[in-house]
Amino acid sequence: MRELGKRLQTIVDYVKPDQRVADVGCDHAYVSMELAEKKNCTVIAMDINEGPLSIAKDNIYGQKLDSKIETRLSDGLKELAAGEVDAIVIAGMGGHLIADILRDGAEKLRPGMQLVLSPQSDLRLVRYSLRKQNIFIEQEACLQDAGKWYFVLNCTVGLKLPGEVPDEEAKAHMMYGTWLPQHPTKEFEEYLAWEAKGLEDLITSLEKQKTPAARARKGGLIKQLEESRRIRDFIKEKE
């Protein structure tokens, strides 16, 4: 029996049913199989590496889902044809790589397409890059799974492609987005408290160092801590 965990289950929950889906970086295809079984989706399970894709293929055949899931060796979206899918899932990789995949595969995106993303790092960069490409975050989850914090972004490609979004606008909400501050969850509030404690400890440590690099980093961390406190105050005012 497959155990997806909270992060992967949230990804599956976000994907709309009855769609054609590309699962990019599918690994062992657990998300692909769940989408085929529970959401009635047809899926292209894609990975850059032969090893995980071979395991994915065995898993798919073992569950008799080969009529609904195709496996495909692909670097990002390179082997996906334009118009071939209605939704794209990208999870389990760094934010820089996700941003690169979407930018390099921009011609494969179309207005109204659903993107479900879960970057392992560089979340601010992902939010910034999405806005630059005129992609909107419609919903966002903050959750803890196996002792680690994760975010899952449910996005829609905007009507105008390619996007021509000013840099200032793209940067405006890249730190915490707009969905979670407006729709705070217990997990998000716990994440903010956990993050603030880490920032305070780092700032204290950097104060003991006298190098220009330490001073510059401390300044950036102080700004981040101030924004974190502003978001927490905003949430308290809403309660």
Side-chain angles (χ1 to χ4, degrees):
M1 183 176 179
R2 288 190 300 275
E3 292 289 342
L4 292 186
K6 287 174 67 176
R7 179 177 65 97
L8 295 184
Q9 187 60 58
T10 300
I11 291 168
V12 171
D13 291 343
Y14 274 164
V15 175
K16 298 172 186 174
D18 306 313
Q19 294 196 98
R20 301 169 298 167
V21 181
D23 181 7
V24 181
C26 67
D27 196 37
H28 296 169
Y30 294 144
V31 167
S32 297
M33 291 189 288
E34 199 76 4
L35 289 173
E37 286 184 333
K38 303 293 176 58
K39 291 298 188 80
N40 193 38
C41 292
T42 56
V43 185
I44 303 172
M46 309 170 76
D47 206 284
I48 193 173
N49 295 309
E50 287 274 13
L53 204 63
S54 177
I55 295 172
K57 190 177 295 185
D58 289 343
N59 289 338
I60 292 163
Y61 274 90
Q63 295 296 311
K64 297 181 172 56
L65 290 170
D66 48 295
S67 64
K68 299 192 73 172
I69 306 174
E70 170 193 345
T71 57
R72 189 178 297 180
L73 191 68
S74 179
D75 180 359
L77 301 176
K78 288 182 180 177
E79 302 305 319
L80 186 71
E84 194 172 8
V85 295
D86 309 303
I88 296 172
V89 171
I90 312 178
M93 60 186 76
H96 273 278
L97 183 53
I98 289 177
D100 287 346
I101 287 171
L102 293 176
R103 185 186 64 249
D104 295 344
E107 75 281 359
K108 312 295 173 65
L109 307 180
R110 58 178 178 77
M113 174 180 277
Q114 183 184 25
L115 307 178
V116 179
L117 314 172
S118 185
Q120 300 277 57
S121 60
D122 302 304
L123 181 59
R124 296 181 187 90
L125 171 69
V126 173
R127 289 196 186 106
Y128 169 80
S129 299
L130 290 173
R131 193 68 200 93
K132 287 294 286 185
Q133 283 191 260
N134 204 38
I135 298 169
F136 297 89
I137 300 172
E138 306 284 359
Q139 191 176 7
E140 189 169 346
C142 171
L143 54 93
Q144 200 170 30
D145 191 6
K148 295 182 180 180
W149 286 103
Y150 295 100
F151 290 78
V152 181
L153 284 57
N154 184 13
C155 312
T156 302
V157 178
L159 296 179
K160 294 182 179 179
L161 290 175
E164 296 181 4
V165 177
D167 210 50
E168 184 176 343
E169 181 182 339
K171 289 179 177 178
H173 301 288
M174 61 186 288
M175 190 168 289
Y176 295 105
T178 57
W179 173 267
L180 283 168
Q182 292 288 345
H183 306 83
T185 61
K186 179 184 176 184
E187 289 86 354
F188 182 54
E189 293 186 59
E190 289 174 351
Y191 169 80
L192 289 173
W194 170 84
E195 181 190 54
K197 178 64 168 59
L199 291 170
E200 289 165 357
D201 290 346
L202 274 173
I203 291 167
T204 299
S205 175
L206 289 168
E207 284 173 348
K208 300 174 184 177
Q209 304 176 33
K210 306 301 180 184
T211 65
R215 286 195 296 271
R217 189 180 181 206
K218 187 180 79 170
L221 293 174
I222 288 172
K223 288 182 179 178
Q224 185 177 344
L225 182 58
E226 289 172 348
E227 180 64 8
S228 174
R229 286 171 174 165
R230 187 188 70 79
I231 294 296
R232 282 187 288 166
D233 289 343
F234 174 78
I235 291 171
K236 287 179 182 177
E237 290 172 3
K238 287 172 61 69
E239 291 176 347

